[in-house]
Amino acid sequence: MVSPAIALAFIPLLLTLIIRYRYYFALFYRAVLVRAWKDCITGLSREERAYQYVLTQATPGDPDSILEAFDIWCSKVEYISNIGPKKGKILDRLLMEQSPMTVLELGAHCGYSTVRIARALPLGARIYSIEMDQRNAAIAEKIIRLAGFDDDTVELIVNPSDEVIPQLRSQYGLEKLDFVFMDHWKKCYAPDLQMLEGSGLLGKGSMIVADNVLFPGAPKFLRHIRKSGLYEWKVHRATLEYSKGIRDGMAELVYQGIK
C-alpha cells in the first residue's frame, strides 16, 4: 500500500500535468464524454444534433447565417472538428485569390467547409465533395441545400476518397483541379495526395490546402511534400478550431510539377 507521504509527493506533479494539459482535457471532455452522453440520451448522432440546431437558428439560403449557427453550436454546445472561423478566414482569402473553377473537397463531414468554399467561388465554379460516411453525407446534403447551393455548384460523392480519385477523370469528366481542400482522415492525406499527383489532375499552380496538419497531425503528408520537390508550400499556424491553447496548422501547397 502506498504511504500518505509518497502519495502527497505526487500531488505537485499531478497538478502540473493538469495545468499543462488542461486544454487537451477540456477537448477530451467536449469531444468524447459530452458526445457519448448526448448520443445516449438523444438517440441522435452529434451531426444530426448540429443539423437540428442550424435548421432552427439559421436563415435558409444564407450561407453566412448557416456558418454562424454552426460556429455557435460548435463553440458553446458541442465540439465538431470543422475548420472553424479563424482558419476559415485563411481559407476564404486563398479562395478569393485563386478564384478556382474546379474544386475537390476530401471530407465533407456535415457540410460546414463545403458551404464555406461554395460561397467564395466565382459564378460557374463547381465543387466535387467526397464523404465516405453515409450518415454524415446525408447531413451534409441537407446543410448544402439549406444554404442554397444546388447540384450544379456542389456534387456530393458518397464513397471513400481512394475509390473516387482514380475515377475523377473517367467518371466525372474532370481535366484539371484548380483547388483541393483536405479535411478527412489525416492518415489518408499522404496517399490521397500521391494519388492526385499520379492522376494528372494537378497542373502548375493548382493549390492544395490541408487542415489539422499539426494536431492531430499528418506527419507522413508533411514529410512527402518536403521530399517531393513538387510544391511551394507553407503552414499557416493557428489554434485548433473551437479550442484554446492547442496549436494547429493548415498547410498551403502550390503544385509546381516535376522540375
Side-chain angles (χ1 to χ4, degrees), residues 62-74:
D62 184 349
D64 291 346
S65 172
I66 287 168
L67 295 176
E68 182 180 1
F70 253 121
D71 289 333
I72 292 171
W73 193 87
C74 294

Side-chain angles (χ1 to χ4, degrees), residues 76-127:
K76 296 184 177 180
V77 183
E78 289 186 63
Y79 178 86
I80 285 185
S81 183
N82 299 318
I83 187 174
K86 293 182 180 179
K87 286 184 288 183
K89 289 179 181 178
I90 300 172
L91 178 62
D92 295 345
R93 176 176 58 79
L94 295 174
L95 287 164
M96 293 297 289
E97 292 172 356
Q98 199 79 355
S99 293
M101 295 304 294
T102 305
V103 178
L104 176 66
E105 179 184 37
L106 302 179
H109 196 186
C110 48
Y112 177 96
S113 55
T114 317
V115 170
R116 187 150 206 135
I117 294 169
R119 69 170 187 168
L121 296 182
L123 187 65
R126 196 171 197 206
I127 307 172

Side-chain angles (χ1 to χ4, degrees), residues 206-228:
S206 293
M207 179 173 285
I208 300 98
V209 174
D211 195 18
N212 304 127
V213 296
L214 300 183
F215 185 88
K220 291 183 179 179
F221 172 81
L222 293 175
R223 189 157 54 244
H224 171 70
I225 62 177
R226 287 191 191 103
K227 292 182 177 180
S228 69

Side-chain angles (χ1 to χ4, degrees), residues 225-244:
I225 62 177
R226 287 191 191 103
K227 292 182 177 180
S228 69
L230 297 174
Y231 305 94
E232 291 181 357
W233 67 281
K234 60 183 173 181
V235 173
H236 298 274
R237 294 184 179 274
T239 54
L240 185 69
E241 52 272 11
Y242 312 117
S243 299
K244 295 180 180 178

Side-chain angles (χ1 to χ4, degrees), residues 2 17 150 179 190 255:
V2 178
L17 290 174
D150 59 19
F179 197 99
Y255 186 73

